[in-house]
Amino acid sequence: MNNFISLNFKVWRQIDSKSKGYFEYFTLEKVSLNISLLEALDQLNENLITKNIRPITFDHDCREGICGSCGFLINGQPHGPKKGTTSCQLYIRNFKDNALITLEPWRVKSFPVIQDLMVDRNSLDKLIISGGYLNTGTGDSPDANSIPISPEKAFSSFETATCIGCGACVAGCRNSSSSLFIAAKLAHLGQLPQGISSKKERSKRMRNQMAIEGFGQCSNNLECEAVCPKEISADWISWMNKI
Ligand code: FES
């Protein structure tokens, strides 16, 4: 079996947020089926550098689906065609020989393009600063397990704690709403004993900040849930709306 394929890339190129962007085409030969898409981009960038062409800028860090740094549109879909998968965990074996792969940055006003596929997601940090934390006085460090939390609540809180803040939910939403992101952050802490008393106030602040940062409102299209690499349920938006 041939473990190598050729790929064609149509990549968004933009020097900075003020410049006009355009698509550029590249072909990459001998791409192993066993490498990730980001590793294929590394391979492509090495070729470009050898030819004195500016390499493609894209964001990444852990490459393990944990940090949320990676993320762009792959064939029009946030993080690409594989459900529950980040861009960095998407492997070349998911593509056919000679496939055309279109790569674009998140198309969201609140995420201005830094360069090519890399966007500035500082607006998500501002949402966290507005209320995605706990400031409840908890005294000295308690002994382990001295605050009783049922396994159901712990698992439920953990489900939302898996949000990696990649911004795919915003990029997938036709309104560029960050509702699933703030719902996940509120539900993560707001279900635990330490977070219950402040969740109403934090919800108000995060919603206000959402408008300030230019994110849209939720209109229940559920695309956020479909594209979330951690498969966080949009039911958490309903949970947030009842706070
Ligand atoms: S690089 Fe960390 S989640 Fe993809």
Side-chain angles (χ1 to χ4, degrees):
M1 186 185 152
N2 187 0
N3 283 326
F4 293 87
I5 58 173
S6 293
L7 290 172
N8 302 298
F9 289 98
K10 179 182 170 187
V11 185
W12 185 257
R13 302 284 258 163
Q14 187 172 339
I15 205 77
D16 58 33
S17 62
K18 302 226 163 37
S19 315
K20 217 167 162 241
Y22 57 95
F23 280 109
E24 203 168 357
Y25 288 84
F26 304 98
T27 296
L28 188 61
E29 317 252 317
K30 292 195 190 132
V31 194
S32 166
L33 293 174
N34 298 320
I35 65 170
S36 68
L37 178 67
L38 297 198
E39 286 168 321
L41 286 179
D42 291 338
Q43 200 176 318
L44 176 59
N45 275 345
E46 278 169 27
N47 292 355
L48 295 180
I49 291 166
T50 319
K51 291 179 194 155
N52 245 340
I53 299 172
R54 183 173 68 77
I56 298 156
T57 304
F58 60 94
D59 218 348
H60 62 96
D61 190 359
C62 71
R63 298 200 177 197
E64 292 180 337
I66 300 168
C67 73
S69 301
C70 67
F72 38 80
L73 298 174
I74 303 168
N75 291 340
Q77 279 181 277
H79 291 297
K82 200 151 187 279
K83 208 170 156 38
T85 306
T86 53
S87 303
C88 62
Q89 294 278 281
L90 185 64
Y91 279 79
I92 294 303
R93 54 182 169 268
N94 292 292
F95 298 97
K96 290 200 163 49
D97 191 22
N98 273 318
L100 174 67
I101 304 176
T102 303
L103 305 178
E104 300 168 76
W106 292 157
R107 301 295 193 185
V108 175
K109 212 164 74 194
S110 308
F111 298 157
V113 171
I114 295 174
Q115 192 165 86
D116 299 339
L117 307 177
M118 183 193 251
V119 298
D120 180 355
R121 281 170 291 187
N122 196 28
S123 48
L124 292 184
D125 294 338
K126 290 195 187 149
L127 293 181
I128 293 293
I129 293 167
S130 72
Y133 57 88
L134 280 186
N135 59 355
T136 314
T138 51
D140 293 334
S141 308
D143 287 341
N145 294 328
S146 65
I147 302 175
I149 299 169
S150 69
E152 293 77 24
K153 276 275 171 282
F155 284 126
S156 182
S157 170
F158 190 73
E159 184 199 327
T160 49
T162 57
C163 169
I164 54 174
C166 61
C169 52
V170 183
C173 174
R174 67 170 70 168
N175 307 325
S176 298
S177 173
S178 58
S179 291
L180 186 58
F181 174 76
I182 64 168
K185 298 304 171 192
L186 287 164
H188 164 204
L189 300 170
Q191 297 182 79
L192 302 176
Q194 302 93 326
I196 288 172
S197 62
S198 62
K199 70 180 176 192
K200 202 176 176 101
E201 178 54 32
R202 290 191 299 110
S203 166
K204 206 168 124 196
R205 288 205 306 265
M206 290 186 92
R207 284 158 187 268
N208 285 345
Q209 194 66 33
M210 194 167 115
I212 293 168
E213 298 303 323
F215 293 109
Q217 290 300 320
C218 173
S219 54
N220 295 316
N221 292 104
L222 305 184
E223 196 59 30
C224 53
E225 176 184 291
V227 299
C228 173
K230 297 298 159 186
E231 302 187 86
I232 296 174
S233 168
D235 288 351
W236 290 110
I237 299 176
S238 313
W239 177 90
M240 173 177 73
N241 289 340
K242 288 187 206 135
I243 294 178

